[in-house]
Structure formats: C-alpha cells, structure tokens
Amino acid sequence: MGVYAWFARFCEYLLTGEFVIDGQTVTFSPVFGRRDKDGERPSGQDLGLNSILYTVAESGVFGTATETDRAPLLRVLLKLLDDKQRADELMKRYNKK
C-alpha cells in the first residue's frame, strides 16, 4: 500500500512540483497543463504518460517507441518541456504580428 501512495504522490508532484536539475529550477506543469479558454479541462480522454511516449516517439529523438519507452523519464520530460517552451515562444511572436 505504501508503494501506491508514494507513486500517486510522485505523479501529482511531477505534474505540479518543482525540480532542481543541474542547479536550475524546473517545473513540468506547462507540459501537462491542458485547459481550454475558460480554464476547464477538455472533455477528451487523456492518455497520460502513454501519450508522451507516442508523441516523443513520433519525433524520433530517442528512437522508436520501444527505445523511447526505455529512455530515462527525466530526459524525455526535459525534451517535452523544451518543445513546449519553443512552441510558446513561436506563438508569442506570431501573435505580435
């Protein structure tokens, strides 16, 4: 039972908490934050970490889906966060025009 409680807490912290990586404070909440204009969650089904696996595998950065599944979770999340930040920056530039 303790393992399940720890895992549930870790998953919650992964979505909302702050991590210190190489002296930098990083939060992965932008990667997981999916809300519409009104602040509501979309009604579609969320695939969770599996959707991350498929999204990253499509890019081929870590190889096939099987190879991506074996990649360290932290590296995959950092890649997703970097992609999200780049997309947000492009949207800011696009919206200024």
Side-chain angles (χ1 to χ4, degrees), residues 2 5 26 30 34 39 44 46 54 58 60-61 68:
V26 177
R34 293 185 186 144
D46 185 7
Y54 301 135
E58 281 180 347
V61 172
T68 301

Side-chain angles (χ1 to χ4, degrees), residues 9-46:
R9 177 65 182 124
F10 172 76
C11 288
E12 179 185 336
Y13 191 78
L14 181 63
L15 300 176
T16 61
E18 292 183 345
F19 297 83
V20 177
I21 302 169
D22 293 333
Q24 299 288 337
T25 302
V26 177
T27 180
F28 297 109
S29 60
V31 173
F32 297 106
R34 293 185 186 144
R35 300 194 183 276
D36 63 15
K37 301 182 254 192
D38 302 324
E40 298 293 322
R41 287 219 175 262
S43 59
Q45 198 170 20
D46 185 7

Side-chain angles (χ1 to χ4, degrees), residues 24-82:
Q24 299 288 337
T25 302
V26 177
T27 180
F28 297 109
S29 60
V31 173
F32 297 106
R34 293 185 186 144
R35 300 194 183 276
D36 63 15
K37 301 182 254 192
D38 302 324
E40 298 293 322
R41 287 219 175 262
S43 59
Q45 198 170 20
D46 185 7
L47 298 176
L49 292 177
N50 282 323
S51 66
I52 292 172
L53 168 66
Y54 301 135
T55 301
V56 175
E58 281 180 347
S59 73
V61 172
F62 296 100
T64 64
T66 303
E67 292 167 331
T68 301
D69 195 27
R70 291 186 202 134
L73 179 62
L74 181 60
R75 290 186 66 209
V76 172
L77 290 173
L78 287 170
K79 169 67 175 136
L80 286 172
L81 183 59
D82 182 60

